[in-house]
Amino acid sequence: MSGAPAPAAAPRYALYYAPRPDEGLAVAASRWLGRNPDSGQARPLAAAGPFGRDRLEAITAEPRLYGFHGTLKPPMALCDGASESDLLAAVGRFAAGRRPVSVPSMQLAGLSGFMAFVPAQPSAELQDLADSCVIEFDEFRRPADESELARRRAACLSPRQEELLVRWGYPHVLEQWRFHLTLTGRIPDEGERAAVAELLQRHFGGFIDRPLAVRDLCVFRQPAPGRPFLAMARFRLGGGRRVSSEVWPAS
């Protein structure tokens, strides 16, 4: 499968881990980000701690667009000859042959200026799952065009990251990948970042230093540039498809 650069309005697809919408972590994340990626329902954020609503919405704007998730295969447009149904069928077959992954403990961390949940210790099983997703589904990926490559290169990539960008369309894959569940955009000011971290400690206190069960492989879809990603399908690792139509969690 191959093809020319995608049309400007082509949808993009990504393979993510995301907690099931009825799980406590998903409920807390939906309230923090102001959007439920399974239902697509959104609501305004409330002021919290020293932050007004407008500032919190700015801090969470980027992860709100993508939905609460951990990336396994970065967003991609489909190449010529590949259809959405082809991708879903392939993901279902792949997921059926994999086992769920248990991460013993998750913690809050700062990564390049943004806040995220990360494993307290590296997980070889999680790394293998992500590596396999990158490699196995690359046949569906439309190659990055020059504007996309230039945008990625503006981040001052290392030589190895440049190699990965050219080969896989993204610089932070394989050994350059780190599993993380993004909670904020970049916050340059250290004092403000510390205040956000304190707020996150309170909001997500029940999930810090606790295990994380990675049970599903999710397909998220972005219909057009700038539009929010939505969870369109979930496949249980070990077999079985589960499509979510969960409503916004009650207060």
Side-chain angles (χ1 to χ4, degrees):
M1 300 178 184
S2 61
R12 294 197 299 164
Y13 302 84
L15 300 186
Y16 289 161
Y17 156 75
R20 294 175 182 174
D22 56 353
E23 292 180 31
L25 179 58
V27 174
S30 293
R31 289 175 177 156
W32 169 255
L33 296 177
R35 188 170 75 87
N36 181 322
D38 285 85
S39 67
Q41 195 170 355
R43 64 181 180 190
L45 299 180
F51 298 99
R53 185 183 71 182
D54 290 348
R55 183 56 188 150
L56 280 179
E57 288 185 346
I59 287 170
T60 57
E62 185 172 357
R64 182 165 54 251
L65 178 73
Y66 286 85
F68 186 66
H69 75 279
T71 300
L72 298 171
K73 172 74 172 175
M76 61 182 180
L78 298 183
C79 63
D80 293 341
S83 68
E84 184 176 285
S85 60
D86 292 334
L87 176 64
L88 294 177
V91 175
R93 291 191 296 270
F94 174 87
R98 306 291 304 200
R99 293 186 303 175
V101 176
S102 179
V103 180
S105 180
M106 297 292 290
Q107 62 186 14
L108 283 173
L111 302 175
S112 302
F114 65 90
M115 300 299 301
F117 270 122
V118 301
Q121 300 292 334
S123 167
E125 289 182 306
L126 203 52
Q127 182 76 52
D128 180 67
L129 177 62
D131 291 353
S132 297
C133 286
V134 168
I135 295 166
E136 293 291 329
F137 296 99
D138 204 59
E139 64 176 312
F140 290 94
R141 179 179 62 86
R142 186 180 293 270
D145 61 23
E146 288 304 318
S147 64
E148 173 69 7
L149 293 174
R151 186 173 70 84
R152 297 292 182 192
R153 287 167 175 150
C156 300
L157 304 180
S158 69
R160 176 56 176 157
Q161 289 168 345
E162 171 67 19
E163 290 178 7
L164 294 170
L165 174 65
V166 172
R167 175 61 185 87
W168 304 106
Y170 196 73
H172 304 292
V173 294
L174 304 183
E175 81 282 356
Q176 298 290 314
W177 172 84
R178 183 178 183 185
F179 182 72
H180 60 279
L181 308 174
T182 306
L183 296 169
T184 74
R186 284 183 170 79
I187 307 171
D189 183 82
E190 291 185 9
E192 184 178 47
R193 193 162 62 247
V196 172
E198 184 178 339
L199 193 60
L200 289 169
Q201 290 277 353
R202 295 200 299 269
H203 187 87
F204 290 98
F207 308 100
I208 299 169
D209 298 325
R210 301 289 178 85
L212 179 73
V214 178
R215 299 184 289 172
D216 301 331
L217 180 57
C218 305
V219 180
F220 275 47
R221 182 179 187 272
Q222 183 188 37
R227 297 281 301 280
F229 280 79
L230 289 171
M232 66 176 300
R234 291 173 178 270
F235 297 89
R236 289 188 180 93
L237 294 171
R241 179 175 175 179
R242 174 178 183 267
V243 180
S244 172
S245 57
E246 196 75 13
V247 297
W248 186 271
S251 299

